[in-house]
Amino acid sequence: MTDRTIAEIGEAELIARFAERAIAPFPEVIVENGDDAAAFLPRNGLAVVTTTDALVEGVHFELYFSDPRSVGRKLVSVNLSDLAAMGAEPRYMLLSACLPRSTPLRVVEGIAEGVRSRCAEFRVHLFGGNVSRTSGPIVLSATLLGEIAPDRVMTRRGSVAGDAIWVTGSLGDARAGLELVRTGKRDEALTRALVDPTPRVAEGIGLAKSGLVHAACDLSDGLGRDLRRLLMPLGLGAEIDPRAVPISRALLASGLDPVTTAVEGGEDYELLFTAPIDRRDDLARALGSTALTLIGRVVDRPIFELVEAEGERAPLPGGFDHFAHVEDRR
Amino acid sequence: MTDRTIAEIGEAELIARFAERAIAPFPEVIVENGDDAAAFLPRNGLAVVTTTDALVEGVHFELYFSDPRSVGRKLVSVNLSDLAAMGAEPRYMLLSACLPRSTPLRVVEGIAEGVRSRCAEFRVHLFGGNVSRTSGPIVLSATLLGEIAPDRVMTRRGSVAGDAIWVTGSLGDARAGLELVRTGKRDEALTRALVDPTPRVAEGIGLAKSGLVHAACDLSDGLGRDLRRLLMPLGLGAEIDPRAVPISRALLASGLDPVTTAVEGGEDYELLFTAPIDRRDDLARALGSTALTLIGRVVDRPIFELVEAEGERAPLPGGFDHFAHVEDRR
């Protein structure tokens, strides 16, 4: 049986695959899907927060281990994670899909179903976008728009020496999931962390509302790299306690080195933030039932180290770079 | 001499290529480039209008006939054109660039320079985005955000039978430019229409402010197709006078059939709109020095025809579809 492909349907019909069954439209939307652009009325006094992120077939996903629905969900999740890092409430989405004509219709329908399900869960309204033909791999690019009171926005600036460094959830599961896929093994929790991560939207909103956070970002490129990005521009560094880094049972059972995997691994989509050390209870309250872990402290020079209880120091591993690395790690 | 490629530089450095030399930041921007997301304060009472459009190498451009700078400019222009069709003032842009590691650095720098130059001309602030690796063709996706008074937004709805149908500028030049490129010929004006089109931003804003327009869209897919998209959902059709369709001297001199090229040709990025026939002077005033042409009228049944002075009727040619056409026309 051969798959039907999108070459058999028109552009309008293809767009309808994504747009159909949208959640109940928001009263603030004044122009919907199907016009030259979409339009909304921002809520009174709120700032608009916006981000764009892409998933590329062969780089960010492979259809042989991610089902299309998960790809669609992850596209929304990675963008939600960026808004979560700012503390914004997600509201609207635009989708740009570049698809080869040979793309099976079931793949597009799966992606669209995943996008819609994730949008519905987080009350995001997909209200515009475009589809284009491409000769190459599938490229899905989403733009998310959210809102937040302007004086509550969390940014990457604002850390000071002496701040405590905190993370949500546990680290390294997505990386472990990727390693397992490569060796043909499979673990439910680790695979899920890789193909269908959970963005910390409510947690980000809670932290922003608490007003306690000095700086925040999401962990998309690994603790080692994201921590450097957060602190190096300020001339600051970090001492991380390797025993404090939160590790899941699944990662512990995987046979991989847990701390290296947790520190180097990307795509965790947990939140990393700095805040005063004496506000643990308030921070925990802001996060609800999500785990909060103190993993280290900010220091006043741009040095990034793992510091053992015995005082032994080692450089904090670094994460990856999409373009510069000689060894292709993704 | 071998080109340096982007594989030699880091992701951060690559992003800096796009972000550097931004125009003076807007006071409404509260979080800039370099954070998880960008944020701005919408101006009081205005709606936010947003659109996303992509340019794919091999589909929308070929680097053997479009220089990289023009590709960057066109990426901004096609998105500006969508905002123009709504009458919105463009304000902010996000850029998502998917690039193979083998991309020459000069290509990326050219694209970035083109993006920045077009943004500067239209006072658009590029304040966020991302770069990703891809194995395939270059994919550039931009999201543009603009603002407009909510009661002034022009949409595709609102045409009524008896409305006059108008277009700005002249039609078919981009298509003629493409035909010439394919046959190895070259004409300055036609090539420019193809590789570096001018979005009708001030014209769109002027038309929206006039309050006279019943419905509007931009001509990205050709008059035949865009007119159907504008009117068919309302159960309406159009009679177009082929002698009235505005044709440039360059197209007349090209040897191509001018009316067919003008009606079928896509990527003109002129504005197509409906308005009462007796308001020509007010409409012309709203457009400033840009040509305004009455090309036909809206009829009360979904039939699209070219109607000659002698009363002879022919179907209006239809434009193209990215996915469905058997013959690959782009």
Side-chain angles (χ1 to χ4, degrees):
Chain A
M1 198 184 89
T2 47
D3 271 333
R4 289 183 67 200
T5 73
I6 60 169
E8 295 173 39
I9 64 173
E11 187 182 346
E13 215 185 314
L14 191 57
I15 290 171
R17 288 292 197 287
F18 287 96
E20 68 187 348
R21 281 177 291 165
I23 58 172
F26 293 21
E28 294 86 357
V29 172
I30 57 176
V31 183
E32 280 282 353
N33 252 317
D35 220 300
D36 291 84
F40 67 96
L41 272 176
R43 285 177 297 176
N44 220 3
L46 298 187
V48 173
V49 183
T50 180
T51 186
T52 185
D53 216 344
L55 294 187
V56 180
E57 184 184 6
V59 178
H60 303 101
F61 68 91
E62 298 281 1
L63 287 172
Y64 68 81
F65 74 78
S66 291
D67 65 298
R69 187 169 180 276
S70 296
V71 173
R73 286 173 63 83
K74 187 164 176 176
L75 176 68
V76 182
S77 299
V78 300
N79 282 284
L80 283 169
S81 184
D82 281 329
L83 289 196
M86 313 290 288
E89 180 190 347
R91 299 280 290 168
Y92 310 107
M93 194 173 110
L94 300 168
L95 174 64
S96 178
C98 298
L99 304 164
R101 286 158 61 107
S102 59
T103 308
L105 204 49
R106 63 165 182 82
V107 167
V108 173
E109 286 170 340
I111 291 170
E113 159 61 21
V115 165
R116 286 196 308 267
S117 72
R118 211 43 157 166
C119 282
E121 283 166 34
F122 288 92
R123 301 183 52 74
V124 170
H125 185 44
L126 175 64
F127 72 169
N130 77 89
V131 290
S132 295
R133 191 158 58 78
T134 177
S135 62
I138 295 173
V139 175
L140 303 168
S141 192
T143 299
L144 215 64
L145 298 125
E147 291 174 331
I148 188 172
D151 57 346
R152 287 301 184 207
V153 180
M154 298 190 293
T155 71
R156 290 170 177 249
R157 302 180 296 268
S159 297
V160 292
D163 274 354
I165 300 171
W166 317 79
V167 293
T168 60
S170 59
L171 308 188
D173 287 2
R175 177 62 171 274
L178 185 60
E179 296 296 332
L180 289 194
V181 163
R182 284 176 174 163
T183 55
K185 293 177 207 158
R186 209 172 166 90
D187 171 275
E188 196 58 44
L190 299 180
T191 302
R192 190 188 181 83
L194 175 66
V195 304
D196 191 12
T198 303
R200 298 299 194 181
V201 174
E203 294 83 350
I205 293 172
L207 289 172
K209 280 190 178 153
S210 79
L212 298 172
V213 171
H214 289 175
C217 66
D218 75 333
L219 282 169
S220 50
D221 291 342
L223 178 66
R225 192 160 144 80
D226 285 319
L227 196 54
R228 284 177 174 87
R229 276 216 202 106
L230 195 65
L231 298 175
M232 279 187 75
L234 306 170
L236 301 172
E239 292 179 346
I240 300 297
D241 177 355
R243 293 156 317 156
V245 174
I247 310 285
S248 70
R249 277 179 212 199
L251 174 52
L252 278 177
S254 70
L256 297 166
D257 179 75
V259 174
T260 306
T261 306
V263 174
E264 284 197 341
E267 306 208 75
D268 285 321
Y269 302 106
E270 296 294 346
L271 298 179
L272 165 69
F273 58 96
T274 59
I277 196 159
D278 58 355
R279 303 305 291 271
R280 176 192 281 273
D281 290 352
D282 297 315
L283 292 168
R285 218 170 357 255
L287 290 178
S289 60
T290 301
L292 168 70
T293 309
L294 173 67
I295 59 167
R297 65 185 191 97
V298 177
V299 298
D300 64 3
R301 57 201 187 287
I303 291 172
F304 293 81
E305 292 177 315
L306 290 170
V307 183
E308 303 279 354
E310 305 76 35
E312 214 174 302
R313 288 165 183 271
L316 184 73
F320 59 80
D321 186 301
H322 286 286
F323 292 93
H325 274 219
V326 175
E327 182 200 6
D328 207 357
R329 298 172 67 177
R330 301 184 84 187
Chain B
M1 199 184 91
T2 48
D3 271 332
R4 288 183 67 201
T5 73
I6 60 170
E8 296 173 39
I9 65 173
E11 187 181 347
E13 214 185 314
L14 191 58
I15 290 171
R17 290 290 197 287
F18 287 95
E20 70 188 346
R21 281 177 290 165
I23 57 171
F26 292 21
E28 294 86 357
V29 172
I30 58 177
V31 184
E32 278 282 355
N33 252 318
D35 220 300
D36 289 85
F40 67 95
L41 273 176
R43 286 177 296 176
N44 219 1
L46 297 188
V48 173
V49 182
T50 180
T51 186
T52 184
D53 217 344
L55 293 187
V56 180
E57 184 185 5
V59 178
H60 303 101
F61 67 91
E62 299 280 3
L63 287 171
Y64 68 81
F65 74 76
S66 292
D67 65 299
R69 187 169 181 277
S70 296
V71 173
R73 287 173 63 82
K74 187 164 176 176
L75 176 68
V76 182
S77 299
V78 300
N79 281 284
L80 283 169
S81 183
D82 281 329
L83 289 195
M86 313 291 288
E89 181 190 346
R91 299 280 291 168
Y92 311 107
M93 193 173 111
L94 300 168
L95 175 64
S96 178
C98 298
L99 304 164
R101 287 159 60 108
S102 59
T103 309
L105 204 49
R106 64 164 180 81
V107 167
V108 173
E109 287 170 339
I111 291 170
E113 159 61 21
V115 165
R116 286 195 309 267
S117 72
R118 210 44 156 167
C119 281
E121 284 166 33
F122 287 91
R123 301 184 51 73
V124 170
H125 185 43
L126 176 64
F127 72 170
N130 77 91
V131 290
S132 294
R133 190 158 58 78
T134 176
S135 62
I138 295 172
V139 175
L140 303 168
S141 192
T143 299
L144 216 64
L145 298 126
E147 292 174 332
I148 188 173
D151 57 346
R152 288 301 185 207
V153 179
M154 299 189 292
T155 71
R156 290 169 177 250
R157 301 181 296 267
S159 296
V160 292
D163 274 354
I165 301 170
W166 317 80
V167 293
T168 60
S170 59
L171 308 187
D173 288 1
R175 177 62 172 275
L178 185 59
E179 296 295 332
L180 289 194
V181 163
R182 284 176 173 164
T183 55
K185 293 176 206 159
R186 210 173 165 90
D187 171 274
E188 196 58 45
L190 298 180
T191 302
R192 189 188 182 82
L194 175 66
V195 303
D196 191 11
T198 303
R200 298 299 194 180
V201 174
E203 294 83 349
I205 293 172
L207 288 172
K209 280 191 178 150
S210 79
L212 298 172
V213 170
H214 289 176
C217 66
D218 75 332
L219 282 168
S220 50
D221 291 342
L223 178 66
R225 193 160 142 81
D226 286 319
L227 196 54
R228 284 178 173 86
R229 273 214 204 109
L230 194 66
L231 298 175
M232 278 186 74
L234 306 172
L236 300 173
E239 292 179 348
I240 300 297
D241 177 355
R243 294 155 317 158
V245 174
I247 310 285
S248 71
R249 277 179 211 198
L251 174 51
L252 277 177
S254 71
L256 297 166
D257 179 76
V259 173
T260 306
T261 305
V263 173
E264 285 197 341
E267 305 207 74
D268 285 321
Y269 302 107
E270 297 293 346
L271 298 179
L272 166 68
F273 58 97
T274 59
I277 195 160
D278 58 355
R279 303 304 292 270
R280 176 191 281 272
D281 291 352
D282 297 315
L283 293 168
R285 216 169 359 253
L287 290 178
S289 60
T290 300
L292 169 70
T293 308
L294 173 66
I295 59 167
R297 67 186 189 95
V298 177
V299 297
D300 64 3
R301 57 201 187 287
I303 291 171
F304 294 80
E305 292 176 315
L306 290 170
V307 182
E308 303 279 352
E310 306 75 33
E312 215 175 301
R313 287 163 185 272
L316 184 73
F320 59 80
D321 186 302
H322 287 287
F323 292 93
H325 273 220
V326 175
E327 183 202 2
D328 208 357
R329 297 173 69 178
R330 299 183 86 186

